[in-house]
Amino acid sequence: MTLILGIDIGTSSSKGVLTRPDGTLVTQAVREHATDTPFPGRVEHDAERVWWSDFVALARELTTAAAASGERVSALGISGIGPCLLPVGAAGTPLRPAILYGVDTRAGDQIAAQTARYGQDRIAARCGSVLTSQAIGPKLQWLREREPDIYGATSRWYMASSWLAHRLTGAYVLDHHSASQCTPLYDLHTNSWIEDWCEEIAPGLEWPELVWPADVVGEVTADAAAVTGIPAGTPVVAGTVDAWAEATAVGATRPGDLMLMYGTTMFLVNFTAQPVSSTKLWGTTGAFPGTYCLAGGMATSGAVTAWLRDLTGSDYPTLVSEAAQVPPGAEGLLMLPYFAGERSPLFDPDARGVVHGLTLRHGRGHLYRAALEGTAFGVRHNLTAVTEAGGDPHRLIAVGGGARELWTQIVSDVTGKPQQVPRHTIGAAYGDTFLAAVGAGLAEPGDIASWNPVESVVEPDPSRGPLYEELYGHYLDLYLSTRDTAHALAARQHADAN
């Protein structure tokens, strides 16, 4: 029988799934990996050691499972963290580790320079977003200015999904959604590269052909088949950034839909009827032609809970159980979850984490609940920004490994909004299989509703609304009142690192 393979490269782990053409989940696999932080503000992946190694391991495990049941992979979808920057030389070899998405904040000087050069309003109007640490344009300029030898040897650049597509098929492509996060290099209104800005910011580079995530870009070569176990000739679709594959996986594709992704970082994608520009969010294309989005992303969420787990030497079930015993408000404990700066809507790479109200009676359960509530306040902050920018987030769908009962309940209580939970919340890899099915002619874009129907709804508890309304005001005030100190400490951290 026909099987579809989807593999996603995440920040701290990679996941793969096998499905049937009707969306039935056959099996899945996970592989954890390390993320390198050589200096504060710099976050990297070794493309061979992380992206390709994870892909090969997952592909072999899943194709072996398929073969054991007498079945065969007939289409492949891929996704990954993004936007990222991987410079590659003429021989096709990566020249340095990939510079990751908005959690990597090294290009602050280049953001300022490009904003002054092209104008913030002009960039936002043309590209949908202002320049932030999420943008690729400043990172390309950083590479050219700070590592000129590497830049001089660079002929092409890739993201995680486009690098995998290249290794599998030889194609040099980038999907439109990923390109729309390459501010200020892509025009959101014409769906094309801004050629003069591209040449000025990154002269001499070859630019990838633009395609849509469900477009078939080639077939698995014989060499790639020998390494991965995927049959030669298997069609490969372009894929996209993981959050948009995940939005596809849960059917968030229509205006008003908002996917809320619970992961290492929290990510929100609200679909709009037309291109929308914002200074507090990212305006992008969607995964399919004619779709547009407002997106927001927090710098940490699951990363903070992992930090607490490791710090306390506990495990998630214990921490969740203890946090559930703590009343809403964590008995006077409030956390700013800016442990790696903050992305939207603050766009402040020098924001820092704060735990306020600590007393000797607070324990790890209080800290864990305060972390969950702090990220929920961050979600509410982003939802407010979406509405102010012209979005209409009236249907929230929760997805991701962190979409668990306590956390989702807290988010609904803080925001006052229900969240739909679909049958499968396993993430982007499931969306990859759907994109591959569409590309291979095995499904239509509207079929995702039958692939992954809604199975439950998390309703807000109105009795908790007044408390969380008060604490949300304190949350906003706490950032403003500690911002100068946080920036001074961040400057000290940068100085100590250098």
Side-chain angles (χ1 to χ4, degrees), residues 377-445:
F377 292 135
V379 171
R380 178 169 171 176
H381 201 182
N382 274 280
L383 290 177
T384 299
V386 168
T387 301
E388 291 174 347
D392 179 24
H394 60 256
R395 175 176 174 253
L396 273 61
I397 308 106
V399 67
R404 299 292 182 260
E405 183 174 345
L406 179 61
W407 201 354
T408 52
Q409 185 63 59
I410 289 173
V411 169
S412 282
D413 291 344
V414 166
T415 62
K417 291 182 176 292
Q419 296 174 80
Q420 297 180 0
V421 182
R423 175 181 298 165
H424 299 299
T425 62
I426 53 179
Y430 189 77
D432 296 336
T433 65
F434 183 73
L435 290 170
V438 172
L442 301 172
E444 296 293 330

Side-chain angles (χ1 to χ4, degrees), residues 94-119:
L95 300 173
R96 70 171 327 279
I99 300 170
L100 297 198
Y101 54 99
V103 295
D104 185 290
T105 59
R106 73 184 69 198
D109 291 344
Q110 291 73 26
I111 289 172
Q114 290 182 18
T115 299
R117 171 72 178 86
Y118 302 111

